[in-house]
Amino acid sequence: MNDTEAVCVLGAGTMGRGIAHACAVGGHRVRLRDVNGDVLAEAAKAVRRTLDGGVERGKLSRDEADAAFERLETTTDLATAAADADVAIEAVPEDIDLKRDVLAEVESHLSRDALVGSNTSSLPLTSVAAALDRPGRAVGLHFFNPVHAMDLVEVVLAEQTTDTTRERAESLVEGLGKTAVTVADSPGFATSRLGAIQGVEAIRMLQEGVAGPRDVDAGMELGYRHPMGPIELTDVVGLDVRLDILEHLREELGERFAPPPLLRRKVRAGKLGRKTGEGFYVWEDGEIAGVSGSDDPAAEGEGR
Ligand SMILES: NC(=O)c1ccc[n+]([C@@H]2O[C@H](COP(=O)([O-])OP(=O)(O)OC[C@H]3O[C@@H](n4cnc5c(N)ncnc54)[C@H](O)[C@@H]3O)[C@@H](O)[C@H]2O)c1
């Protein structure tokens, strides 16, 4: 990978805009594509805000931030987004049929050698890759949220992924100043599987009244030095996103991943976490303002 390569990012939601930001800061020309023009406008503003935040925190100079922003283009047109791209990375919703369709469609616009990355956090990459005419170019590039602040990218190898693709993917990740952890395609890969099992057990503990959200979280933060407890993390990731991941892991790996009824109730009520202002916690301006009241008598827990 060199600095002048072109990256096409498909989907401009939470992750797509973050990946676009990271690639632009990493020196790549980026075309960000979404089916929704309003989402694209919001994504461009979000990238600008993140760049400005980076300048304020001394992470990059004003000139570097401006240059990175100039390297970013947005479009709703797939052919424009994919034209001359060396790398295409999809960050569309976690739906296998959608991902297969999106990647097969983008492949028809790509050169023979372009790399095709998927940001899926739990779907079988081998099935995603099978939608391509040249599946050996497919690789999982599992970025973490928020992308600009997270140093890890899981590089996931589909059955079909070639050694050349693997090397290119690892070098792309390193060029972005992040650390690549390479894992075989298996349900939930390494990180989502472990993260999901801890999150699901934490929600079961709330259900059983073992402790409230604050105490469960403090236990892992102070006792295990996790930067964020599993309940708060579920709110940040999104309860709907977590539910989808659990449904999938349950199907693939068994009942230990079965989503707890409490999680389903919250999702049905539209309490999806930080993004809707309430999940297990109540959120104001992106910060925890209290504990959601409807859980159980132990909701607030003791001691904090
Ligand atoms: N949110 C997270 O914390 C997180 C972390 C790691 C990985 N992921 C994975 O990243 C992917 C995206 O998640 P997200 O949270 O950014 O979702 P999101 O809902 O915020 O964004 C998805 C975007 O894709 C767009 N889209 C839908 N169909 C499209 C198409 N055909 N072409 C282009 N754009 C299209 C939607 O308009 C939306 O803006 C999922 O696979 C998810 O599992 C999410």
Side-chain angles (χ1 to χ4, degrees):
M1 284 292 152
N2 64 54
D3 283 358
T4 58
E5 288 195 300
V7 181
C8 157
V9 180
L10 304 165
T14 308
M15 297 307 290
R17 62 187 64 177
I19 295 167
H21 167 273
C23 291
V25 170
H28 301 291
R29 286 174 293 119
V30 182
R31 291 209 185 102
L32 177 59
R33 192 248 175 174
D34 201 287
V35 286
N36 183 332
D38 294 340
V39 169
L40 280 174
E42 184 45 49
K45 280 191 213 150
V47 170
R48 183 78 256 186
R49 275 197 303 274
T50 308
L51 288 168
D52 290 346
V55 173
E56 277 160 29
R57 291 194 310 280
K59 299 273 183 203
L60 71 178
S61 70
R62 171 58 57 198
D63 284 352
E64 286 166 340
D66 289 345
F69 195 65
E70 272 171 32
R71 284 192 285 271
L72 174 70
E73 279 175 51
T74 59
T75 177
T76 53
D77 183 59
L78 182 64
T80 305
D84 307 325
D86 302 294
V87 182
I89 305 172
E90 72 75 20
V92 301
E94 190 79 339
D95 173 313
I96 184 105
D97 295 328
L98 177 65
K99 285 187 188 290
R100 284 171 55 90
D101 288 351
V102 164
L103 289 186
E105 198 185 355
V106 75
E107 188 182 36
S108 65
H109 297 279
L110 293 173
S111 68
R112 285 174 60 82
D113 295 331
L115 193 76
V116 175
S118 168
N119 189 47
T120 179
S121 38
S122 64
L123 297 172
L125 196 75
T126 300
S127 307
V128 176
L132 298 180
D133 285 338
R134 295 167 64 82
R137 59 162 96 189
V139 67
L141 292 171
H142 181 204
F143 287 82
F144 287 72
N145 183 22
V147 178
H148 69 274
M150 300 294 276
D151 289 336
L152 178 66
V153 179
E154 250 179 335
V155 171
V156 185
L157 306 179
E159 237 359 82
Q160 307 95 324
T161 306
T162 63
D163 288 346
T164 309
T165 299
R166 171 194 176 143
E167 281 158 24
R168 286 187 68 192
E170 289 171 346
S171 127
L172 172 67
V173 169
E174 278 152 29
L176 300 181
K178 300 194 185 291
T179 299
V181 168
T182 302
V183 304
D185 182 22
S186 63
F189 314 134
T191 51
S192 297
R193 180 166 166 174
L194 276 177
I197 201 73
Q198 189 182 68
V200 78
E201 199 57 34
I203 298 167
R204 287 188 194 117
M205 285 163 66
L206 298 186
Q207 274 185 175
E208 292 167 17
V210 173
R214 289 189 189 276
D215 287 334
V216 169
D217 281 346
M220 296 313 287
E221 288 162 19
L222 302 179
Y224 285 76
R225 291 192 186 275
H226 288 195
M228 188 182 282
I231 301 296
E232 182 177 352
L233 186 60
T234 303
D235 267 21
V236 170
V237 168
L239 274 61
D240 52 340
V241 174
R242 262 290 153 86
L243 180 59
D244 285 350
I245 293 171
L246 286 171
E247 297 278 23
H248 170 68
L249 291 178
R250 175 195 206 170
E251 211 173 288
E252 297 281 335
L253 297 172
E255 286 305 303
R256 64 191 191 275
F257 289 95
L262 175 59
L263 179 64
R264 286 191 193 284
R265 281 206 305 277
K266 293 257 181 207
V267 171
R268 281 194 198 114
K271 294 177 181 176
L272 306 182
R274 186 171 66 180
K275 63 188 169 188
T276 60
E278 187 171 350
F280 291 103
Y281 291 102
V282 175
W283 295 80
E284 279 170 23
D285 300 325
E287 302 289 332
I288 291 179
V291 170
S292 173
S294 57
D295 303 334
D296 60 57
E300 280 287 352
E302 291 178 7
R304 284 214 295 171

